[in-house]
Amino acid sequence: MSLSPKLKQGFLREAGLSARMTRFLINLWPPFIGAGIRVERIADDWTSAQVRMTLRFYNRNIFGTHFGGSLFAMTDPFFALLIMHRLGTGYVVWDRSSHIDYKLPAKGTVRARFEMPGTAVEAARQHTAADQKYEPVFKVDIVDQQGQVVATVSKTLYIRRKPQAPRAPAAANPDA
């Protein structure tokens, strides 16, 4: 059975890359390079990730602080990436919506640490068990070098089990 186009995901999803190789490839992704975003770590078991961005001339705004779009971009794929790998290939995972709340001007190096606890993975499995969608919300703080929260990002994910292949109809009993 072929999945509908809206349920298909990229070929890297099925490639079975390790967390280390995924980190390496994301760090080569042009939008992250251009914004000065670096993935510092993705846990081997896909339970967490840490991302940093250092203030440079090419990612600062007119006020001399981090460009808000870059702060937002540094949080983009990570919750979906973590839960996608924790759930396995039988699920479709997309970012559905995001919201950022800027709290302080961001200067210097900022970091975001993403956590995907087992309870969140189990909740996704339970909510999608009857082939319904699930839209959990995850939050991450972006912190500066002093540990102050400069922004909080809320991410709503779309999670659904992939449709199962249709079963062949039961063969008629010729002796009946």
Side-chain angles (χ1 to χ4, degrees):
M1 176 179 146
S2 172
L3 291 177
S4 72
K6 84 177 205 181
L7 291 180
K8 289 185 179 180
Q9 293 191 296
F11 72 93
L12 288 178
R13 161 75 189 256
E14 308 298 327
L17 298 175
S18 68
R20 184 176 179 163
M21 180 56 74
T22 300
R23 179 182 65 83
F24 174 77
L25 292 174
I26 291 173
N27 282 331
L28 295 177
W29 193 38
F32 273 23
I33 291 172
I37 299 166
R38 297 287 298 169
V39 179
E40 293 183 310
R41 188 180 71 73
I42 299 176
D44 290 337
D45 62 359
W46 300 95
T47 56
S48 64
Q50 185 164 308
V51 179
R52 80 165 186 269
M53 183 171 56
T54 303
L55 186 62
R56 306 269 189 227
F57 75 92
Y58 54 83
N59 66 0
R60 69 179 63 206
N61 61 26
I62 61 171
F63 305 108
T65 61
H66 278 286
F67 175 63
S70 296
L71 290 168
F72 206 20
M74 74 184 281
T75 67
D76 186 32
F78 296 101
F79 284 122
L81 183 70
L82 293 174
I83 201 164
M84 177 178 72
H85 282 280
R86 301 277 313 272
L87 287 170
T89 59
Y91 293 82
V92 173
V93 179
W94 294 105
D95 276 326
R96 186 174 183 294
S97 64
S98 300
H99 172 80
I100 190 165
D101 182 18
Y102 300 103
K103 300 186 182 277
L104 294 171
K107 297 181 179 181
T109 299
V110 294
R111 285 185 167 80
R113 181 170 168 76
F114 305 85
E115 300 284 339
M116 187 53 61
T119 54
V121 178
E122 187 54 36
R125 285 193 175 108
Q126 288 176 359
H127 284 90
T128 60
D131 295 330
Q132 67 272 36
K133 69 180 178 181
Y134 178 51
E135 296 181 344
V137 177
F138 297 95
K139 291 187 178 194
V140 64
D141 289 329
I142 301 172
V143 298
D144 63 15
Q145 292 165 298
Q146 291 74 39
Q148 293 182 299
V149 176
V150 298
T152 298
V153 176
S154 298
K155 304 281 285 182
T156 302
L157 301 183
Y158 170 94
I159 302 171
R160 178 171 247 146
R161 288 184 51 199
K162 288 182 180 176
Q164 302 298 318
R167 295 182 182 157
N173 185 350
D175 297 330

